[in-house]
């Protein structure tokens, strides 16, 4: 399986669990699994797509890459790894930050950090502590991911939409995932983004960020509740936000400008912020 690891099962399927065990055996008794594969082990789905298993070792050992394993020495040994049989895995906050640092794009970093926070696997304080404790070099994507999670984004597509709106010189502040209620106290669906002065809701619909297809279908259908309450709703897909950001922003700005110019009567709903949003 690896230079110093023999498969006694005779070439059986290399499951994720067996891959991690092999990585620890190859890297040595002081090694700890971190990064993407540790995140997957902790149950984070957005940490997929990284070929090498990362094993952290003390600074006295050498870094090397062999097969599917990347051994990296660290000046910050993991003080309390999660131990399960032969496995030693970094705690969620360390695993998340190491994975986010190793991502190819800021979008991937945001997806990992936001999922971990939303699933309450880590707290914002734990992630921020790990970021500050590590090297500053190469930390820009993970620092931005932490900022987006702290702003109130619930998914990477929502984070992209918030960043897009924050880049506009025309739009007012956009509130992420606020609580909306009718005057009689009935709760409405929380929009992904909210422009309070005109009552404009922004929605990013994606099956990938709902636990079941039924959740996605119910969310889409509940858009009608907002419209019945007088809320103007603009819906987008994650693909359009990522591939056509200019067109998406132009549509939002056109709608907002039209509502202001026509003295549109704002929907009679009460908004309570749930996150601070992104500051310009």
């Amino acid at each position: 399986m690896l230079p110093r690891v023999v498969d006694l099962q005779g070439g059986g399927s290399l499951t994720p669990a067996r891959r991690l065990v092999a990585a620890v055996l190859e890297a040595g008794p002081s090694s700890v699994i971190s990064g993407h594969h540790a995140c997957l082990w902790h149950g984070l789905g957005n940490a997929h797509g990284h070929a090498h298993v990362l094993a952290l070792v003390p600074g006295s050992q050498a870094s090397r890459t062999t097969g599917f394993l990347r051994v990296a020495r660290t000046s910050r040994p993991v003080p309390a790894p999660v131990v399960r049989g032969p496995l030693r895995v970094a705690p969620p906050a360390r695993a998340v930050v190491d994975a986010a640092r190793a991502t190819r794009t800021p979008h991937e970093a945001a997806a990992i950090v936001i999922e971990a926070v939303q699933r309450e696997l880590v707290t914002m304080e734990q992630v921020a502590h790990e970021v500050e404790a590590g090297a500053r070099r190469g930390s820009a994507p993970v620092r931005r991911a932490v900022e987006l999670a702290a702003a109130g984004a619930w998914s990477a597509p929502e984070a992209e939409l918030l960043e897009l709106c924050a880049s506009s010189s025309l739009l007012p502040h956009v509130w992420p995932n606020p609580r909306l209620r009718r005057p009689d106290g009935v709760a409405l669906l929380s929009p992904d983004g909210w422009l309070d002065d005109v009552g404009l809701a922004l929605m990013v619909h994606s099956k990938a960020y709902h636990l079941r297809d039924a959740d996605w279908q119910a969310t889409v259908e509940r858009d009608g509740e907002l419209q019945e309450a007088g809320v103007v709703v603009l819906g987008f897909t994650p693909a359009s936000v990522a591939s056509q950001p200019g067109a998406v922003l132009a549509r939002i700005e056109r709608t907002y400008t039209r509502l202001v110019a026509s003295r549109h009567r704002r929907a009679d709903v009460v908004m309570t912020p749930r996150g601070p949003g992104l500051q310009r």
Side-chain angles (χ1 to χ4, degrees):
M1 300 173 71
L2 289 166
R4 297 188 298 178
V5 181
V6 177
D7 179 10
L8 296 180
Q9 293 189 7
S13 174
L14 189 59
T15 64
R18 293 180 67 222
R19 182 183 293 261
L20 295 187
V21 170
V24 168
L25 292 174
E26 174 71 26
S30 299
S31 63
V32 177
I33 302 298
S34 191
H36 285 74
H37 289 268
C39 288
L40 290 172
W41 188 83
H42 284 299
L44 296 180
N46 284 329
H48 57 80
H50 205 271
H52 287 101
V53 176
L54 172 65
L56 301 178
V57 296
S60 58
Q61 297 181 224
S63 298
R64 57 193 172 92
T65 299
T66 178
F68 57 78
L69 171 65
R70 183 170 75 87
V71 179
R73 59 184 180 182
T74 177
S75 60
R76 288 198 310 121
V78 180
V82 181
V83 179
R84 294 290 185 273
L87 281 180
R88 294 180 299 278
V89 182
R94 178 65 179 269
V96 164
V97 171
D98 284 344
R101 283 178 176 273
T103 54
R104 294 181 295 270
T105 67
H107 175 85
E108 293 177 28
I112 293 171
V113 172
I114 291 172
E115 182 188 6
V117 172
Q118 286 302 312
R119 292 196 174 192
E120 299 183 343
L121 190 64
V122 299
T123 65
M124 289 302 310
E125 292 74 16
Q126 289 172 329
V127 177
H129 172 76
E130 280 296 332
V131 173
E132 294 303 323
R136 190 165 188 86
R137 182 178 181 182
S139 67
V142 66
R143 288 177 185 276
R144 185 58 171 169
V146 170
E147 182 180 351
L148 290 167
W154 286 358
S155 70
E158 287 182 22
E160 285 190 288
L161 184 65
L162 286 179
E163 287 191 298
L164 189 60
C165 291
S167 71
S168 171
S169 60
L170 174 66
L171 298 177
H173 185 74
V174 176
W175 298 96
N177 299 292
R179 293 181 178 89
L180 297 183
R181 291 187 179 277
R182 296 189 327 207
D184 57 7
V186 174
L188 298 171
L189 177 69
S190 290
D192 299 325
W194 176 255
L195 286 72
D196 193 58
D197 59 335
V198 295
L200 175 60
L202 309 177
M203 305 293 292
V204 185
H205 293 306
S206 171
K207 290 184 179 182
Y209 293 94
H210 292 78
L211 297 180
R212 299 178 301 276
D213 283 356
D215 295 336
W216 173 77
Q217 182 175 344
T219 300
V220 173
E221 290 176 351
R222 286 191 67 192
D223 281 2
E225 294 181 10
L226 294 175
Q227 294 167 340
E228 289 172 5
V231 174
V232 179
V233 180
L234 291 181
F236 307 96
T237 65
S240 64
V241 175
S243 63
Q244 299 177 310
V248 168
L249 182 58
R251 182 184 172 201
I252 297 171
E253 290 180 334
R254 282 197 307 270
T255 303
Y256 176 76
T257 301
R258 175 176 57 81
L259 293 176
V260 172
S262 65
R263 298 184 179 180
H264 167 76
R265 181 178 179 181
R266 179 191 180 280
D268 190 11
V269 297
V270 178
M271 186 275 290
T272 303
R274 207 189 302 254
L278 285 180
Q279 303 301 321
R280 288 190 176 88

